[in-house]
Structures are given as C-alpha cells and as structure tokens.
Amino acid sequence: MDISVIGGGYMGLVTSVGLAELGNTVTVIDLNESKVAMINSAQAPFFEPGLHELLQKHVGSSLFASTTFEDVADSEISFICVDTPADETGHVNLTKVKSSACSIGLALQGLETFHTVVIKSTVPPGTTESVIIPLILGKSKRNFSTLGFSANPEFLREGQAVADFMHPDRIVIGVSDGRAEEILTRMYCKIDAPILTTSIKSAEMAKHVSNAFLATKISFANEVGNICKNLEIDVYDVMRCVGSDHRISPNFLSAGVGFGGSCLPKDLKALIHLAEALGEEPFLLHAVKKVNEKQPERIYRLLERKLGKLKNKRIAVLGLAFKPNTDDIRGSPAIPVIQSLDAKGATVIAYDPLAVENMRGVFPRIKYAKHPLEALTGADACVLLTEWPEFECLDSEFDAMQTRIVIEGRKILLCKNKEGVCW
Ligand code: UDX
C-alpha cells in the first residue's frame, strides 16, 4: 500500500520503517527540514536499535521523507504520529494533531478514492471523533463514503521500538466502519499478533490505561521496596517470588529511582486530568504519581546519610537517559537528582553512553565525563541512575573514588559494597 506518516519522531519514524519492512511504500512527512534531510540520507535523527539498518535498506526505494503534505493525496492510508505533550496539570496539547488533521484534510480535497486516516498519537478518549474527524471532513469537503478513520495506538518501548513494532503482543484497532477495519487488518496481516478490533474511543482509552497500569506496577514495586529497605529485605527477592504468579507476571516490578520517559508520566497525568474533568476522583492514580515524584529524593537523602552535607562534595552520576539503549532524557529521574545535588552545592560529574549531549542542554554547567572512570576518579560518592549494560561489571573503577560510596538507582552492578535506593 501507499502510506503517508505524519511525524518523523520516535513513534512516526519507527512506524514508517516498520510499514516499509512489511512491503508498503511510505512517505514520512515532517516540518523539520533537517530531520527530513537526515532521513532521506538514511541517517537516523535519534538512536533506536535497528533503525539505522532499516533506513539504509528502505530509504530511496520504499521509504521517503518530505516536508509537504502533497504525498497524502497519493496514499491510501495516512497515520498521525505527532507528539501530544501534556502540561503539569495533565492537559494534553493537541496543536500538532489538529494542524496535521487540517493539512491532511486539505491534501484530500477533491479526491474520490477511499482514504483511511489513522490516529496513532496518544490522544484523550473521544478526541478522534470530536476533534480530528470533524476537522478532516471539513477541510477535505468529503464525507464518510470516501473517508475511513481509526485509532491505532502504539505500545512501542523506546530502545526496543523496532522489535516491538514487528513483534507486538497485540494490535489494537479502533474503527467506526468496516472498510477501515478491512484495510488495516490487511495492512497488518504479516505481523504475527492478535488484532483486537474495538470502538475508536475504547482504543484511545486502552492506550492510557495500559500506560497507567504499567506506571502503577512500578510505583507498587517502589513502595514495597521502600518498606523492604527498612526491614533489610531485598525487594528483588520478594518480587521474584511474587512475579512468578501468572496473574501478576514478573514484568514491570523492578524497583528503582522511578519511571521516566515521554509516555508513562504524561499518560498518567492525562488520565488523572480526564478523570477529574469527569468528576471522578482518581485516588489510586494520584498515589502512583506521588510515589514516583518522591522516589528520586531518596537518592540524595541516602547520600546525605553517608556523606553529611553535600556542599562541595564531588558526586559521580552514572547514567542520564531515562532507560538504557536510548539517548532520550525526557522525564529521566537523573534530572531531579542532578537538580537537587546542584542546589545543595555538590559538584556533579556525569557520564552516559548516549545521552550526554541531550543532558548538556538541560545542565550546561555541570561536568561530563567521556567514560565511567573519568567520572569516578576522586569522587566522594557515585549514584547510578540508568542500568546500562556497560556498568554491570564496574568494580575496581570504584576504588578510584575518594571514598567508595556507591548508590544504585537501578539494580545492575554485580560487585559487592554498594547500596540500592530501595534495596
Ligand atoms: C512506555 C510503555 O512501556 C510503552 O508501551 C509505551 O508505548 C510508551 O511508554 P517507554 O517509556 O519507552 O515505554 O519505556 P519503558 O520500558 O516502559 O520504561 C518506562 C520507565 O519505567 C523507564 O524509566 C524505566 O526505567 C522504568 N521502569 C520500567 C521501572 O522503573 N521499573 C520497571 O520494572 C520497568
């Protein structure tokens, strides 16, 4: 099929290379000219395992990038994959979704061939039918006889997004008519996963609930970890026993410094905001958010317990990305940890395999090391905030520190004499 994808970010570009890999011809439309130029030269604008190889394979033959919406007219399906950021209150900013819908509508004006518009961006339940569809019908001056719509949320995890696209647990398709369902079922037929068809707003809601539940599991593990730490119990031992129950599953029960990323925190806030707008009090979701917000504080409280005042102390921070295998620092717990250390007058020297340049944009004044040993040499303490595989075997490097105080925000080190944030 000929497909256009609006948005060349983590979701849009991974979806584009995945659809090209399935045998479709895909045009990625993004207003950022430098990003479009990078994609057309088969360069990935961000790190994602497997993305570079798929760009090399498909760019110029079945994958193209453009800054204009003209290609939408030649495509059978267009995906809206632009970001939908939420503010502190959880109110979701739909500006990019609305402008994409208008541009798609204008590009579809005067055409008679059936076209399906798919909303993959995470939008509050009800948005597709109350905002996006009316915009596209209005701008295109067409109706449901030649336009189909679907909400098709993605569940890709950064750092494994390409694998998650090709091997999802399920594909959720929210549709309002049979033609859109048939077209999307055919488009996804080569992927070995159940296709769950539902209403458009159920699909929109399933995305929020999935992420809110994942966040709940993590905050639950962290709350249990905080309790266990007082009892000198390793929460990882406890969760190994608890998670082996098929009703619970071991996944997403890893306690640590809290969940980050651009999705879990945002979608949790959005669901809270939605509930409150409906007059429902989301007690549990508020608690999940509160546990997560308080978790990073435990890192510097532990440091103060071991070092006393942190002023002028040299603290090595290993790991800046919100998780391994990505350069993304959005929502990273490293941000509040560094903020607090900086505010307390500590000298921070940070290292991350991929995310240093992104973090330099947030904290231009702190020092950045080129490798772990440079960060550790002479440090009074070390906090490990991202479980990069290369940290696993660190041991003698910690002896280069002034004092060997090692605090794990993520469980990864094999060596002895270290302490976990909640283990
Ligand atoms: C998440 C959802 O998993 C994905 O389905 C959705 O499409 C986008 O949001 P992502 O944010 O990329 O994916 O990363 P994920 O692997 O979910 O981790 C999110 C955060 O939770 C990370 O900061 C990670 O360190 C943390 N986490 C994860 C834990 O603290 N404990 C866990 O057990 C798992």
Side-chain angles (χ1 to χ4, degrees):
M1 294 179 176
D2 283 319
I3 300 174
S4 44
V5 174
I6 320 306
Y10 280 97
M11 182 213 296
L13 188 53
V14 170
T15 298
S16 300
V17 298
L19 291 170
E21 185 68 1
L22 293 180
N24 301 289
T25 301
V26 184
T27 301
V28 195
I29 298 170
D30 196 294
L31 301 181
N32 181 320
E33 288 188 10
S34 63
K35 187 184 284 188
V36 165
M38 282 187 81
I39 295 167
N40 281 330
S41 56
Q43 298 301 317
F46 49 80
F47 179 80
E48 190 57 54
L51 180 60
H52 178 74
E53 293 75 5
L54 287 175
L55 285 170
Q56 296 283 324
K57 178 177 176 182
H58 294 294
V59 166
S61 54
S62 52
L63 179 60
F64 307 85
S66 163
T67 56
T68 71
F69 281 76
E70 283 150 25
D71 295 282
V72 168
D74 304 326
S75 62
E76 300 165 68
I77 304 176
S78 48
F79 279 83
I80 297 180
C81 293
V82 293
D83 58 313
T84 52
D87 63 22
E88 259 323 294
T89 69
H91 177 263
V92 176
N93 182 329
L94 294 173
T95 305
K96 288 186 183 176
V97 164
K98 289 177 182 173
S99 64
S100 300
C102 292
S103 302
I104 288 170
L106 290 172
L108 292 174
Q109 241 181 43
L111 300 171
E112 287 310 308
T113 45
F114 193 80
H115 183 95
T116 304
V117 180
V118 183
I119 291 78
K120 202 169 247 306
S121 297
T122 302
V123 292
T127 302
T128 298
E129 288 159 303
S130 63
V131 175
I132 299 171
I133 291 176
L135 275 177
I136 294 175
L137 294 178
K139 291 291 180 186
S140 65
K141 299 186 177 51
R142 289 168 64 173
N143 58 43
F144 289 110
S145 64
T146 60
L147 285 178
F149 296 93
S150 169
N152 170 221
E154 51 74 33
F155 301 95
L156 310 179
R157 289 165 294 173
E158 283 185 36
Q160 49 217 94
V162 172
D164 281 350
F165 180 91
M166 302 312 284
H167 310 288
D169 288 337
R170 75 316 199 173
I171 295 169
V172 172
I173 294 178
V175 283
S176 55
D177 67 65
R179 287 182 71 171
E181 179 182 356
E182 186 278 324
I183 286 167
L184 286 175
T185 303
R186 186 154 39 93
M187 187 197 75
Y188 280 123
C189 69
K190 287 185 192 161
I191 292 186
D192 178 19
I195 293 186
L196 310 180
T197 304
T198 182
S199 69
I200 285 180
K201 58 184 170 183
S202 295
E204 292 166 325
M205 188 60 168
K207 171 65 186 170
H208 284 81
V209 172
S210 175
N211 274 358
F213 185 69
L214 293 170
T216 301
K217 283 193 89 171
I218 296 166
S219 282
F220 178 79
N222 287 338
E223 183 143 283
V224 168
N226 296 337
I227 297 166
C228 286
K229 187 164 177 66
N230 290 289
L231 298 166
E232 295 186 6
I233 296 172
D234 184 341
V235 62
Y236 278 78
D237 285 343
V238 173
M239 288 311 187
R240 190 163 48 85
C241 302
V242 169
S244 51
D245 181 323
H246 75 277
R247 296 168 301 172
I248 296 172
S249 115
N251 301 315
F252 277 67
L253 288 177
S254 304
V257 68
F259 57 82
S262 61
C263 296
L264 262 55
K266 171 177 81 81
D267 294 350
L268 177 63
K269 276 189 297 200
L271 192 52
I272 289 171
H273 181 77
L274 177 71
E276 289 172 342
L278 296 167
E280 286 295 334
E281 183 54 52
F283 299 106
L284 178 62
L285 298 177
H286 272 302
V288 169
K289 180 168 177 283
K290 189 83 181 160
V291 168
N292 197 56
E293 285 165 350
K294 303 292 279 181
Q295 207 62 7
E297 289 172 24
R298 293 173 175 268
I299 291 279
Y300 63 78
R301 284 221 293 274
L302 254 180
L303 279 173
E304 284 172 333
R305 212 177 297 159
K306 293 173 178 298
L307 282 175
K309 286 268 171 274
L310 297 181
K311 189 167 173 47
N312 300 326
K313 292 289 191 317
R314 185 185 169 94
I315 311 295
V317 174
L318 297 186
L320 300 173
F322 81 93
K323 61 186 269 193
N325 294 318
T326 180
D327 56 3
D328 196 350
I329 60 166
R330 289 177 294 177
S332 172
I335 294 174
V337 170
I338 293 172
Q339 233 150 20
S340 307
L341 294 176
D342 199 37
K344 290 170 184 293
T347 301
V348 173
I349 176 155
Y351 167 77
D352 186 286
L354 290 180
V356 163
E357 284 322 306
N358 285 336
M359 195 59 92
R360 200 190 297 276
V362 179
F363 298 111
R365 283 187 308 109
I366 70 167
K367 295 185 184 68
Y368 294 93
K370 290 182 179 41
H371 48 78
L373 186 60
E374 183 187 345
L376 292 167
T377 303
D380 295 302
C382 164
V383 292
L384 191 152
L385 301 179
T386 313
E387 65 279 26
W388 283 102
E390 70 177 71
F391 296 156
E392 191 175 350
C393 300
L394 288 176
D395 191 352
S396 60
E397 294 83 352
F398 293 123
D399 297 328
M401 294 166 69
Q402 195 72 22
T403 38
R404 182 172 170 144
I405 295 173
V406 180
I407 292 174
E408 282 184 312
R410 303 282 185 212
K411 198 170 182 83
I412 179 79
L413 296 170
L414 297 177
C415 66
K416 300 264 180 286
N417 52 19
K418 74 229 171 172
E419 182 169 352
V421 63
C422 53
W423 54 85

